Amino acid sequence: MTDLPAYYFRVRENGALVFRVDSENRQRRLELEQIATVNVRNGEIRPQGDKVLTDADRAEIAAWLAARQAQLAERDVDDILRAIDHMNLTAHWVQTKASEDQLERVTDALLLAMHDLRTVLVKKKADRVLKAAPPAPQPD
């Protein structure tokens, strides 16, 4: 049998269930003992039942949590980059292939969504510019 990790994380919607992996038992069976629940959104680590987490448990869970949060953040950016590709493909479709009926079905929804997105992007950009600007000189 190959070397197994000491912990297994069963990913779920908002985090994971954490299991300690035991392959060194008398029956030589692989056993997973649930020891905690992790919430990726708020970083909460809750021991399972009356389990007491060791420092090693907490360190491993914290490392997994940091890596998972970074992975999800990267996926968010990748999703947006894909959305940009889809916007470009949509523009090309509108210009070259869309029928009048198809345009009638999608135009208002697209215009509203693009207006909403533009409004939010402009506000966020203005906030960043104002935050980065040096303070105005004060009169003497």
Side-chain angles (χ1 to χ4, degrees), residues 4 8 15 22 30 38 42 44 54 60 67 69 72 78 82 91 103 108 110 119 124 131 140:
L4 295 172
Y8 170 69
D22 178 14
L30 182 63
V38 181
N42 65 16
E44 181 182 23
T54 66
E60 190 72 27
Q69 288 169 331
L72 293 174
D78 188 54
R82 289 174 195 261
L103 288 173
D108 290 343
L110 276 170
T119 301
K124 291 289 191 172
K131 188 177 179 181
D140 292 327

Side-chain angles (χ1 to χ4, degrees), residues 47-84:
Q48 176 68 25
D50 60 351
K51 301 277 191 252
V52 176
L53 299 178
T54 66
D55 290 342
D57 294 337
R58 288 195 177 278
E60 190 72 27
I61 293 168
W64 178 88
L65 179 60
R68 181 68 177 171
Q69 288 169 331
Q71 180 185 46
L72 293 174
E74 187 60 35
R75 283 184 186 169
D76 285 345
V77 171
D78 188 54
D79 287 346
I80 299 308
L81 293 172
R82 289 174 195 261
I84 293 167

Side-chain angles (χ1 to χ4, degrees), residues 18-31:
V18 184
F19 296 87
R20 192 176 291 126
V21 177
D22 178 14
S23 61
E24 301 296 325
N25 54 59
R26 289 178 38 194
Q27 294 85 13
R28 293 188 168 211
R29 283 193 218 155
L30 182 63
E31 293 183 11

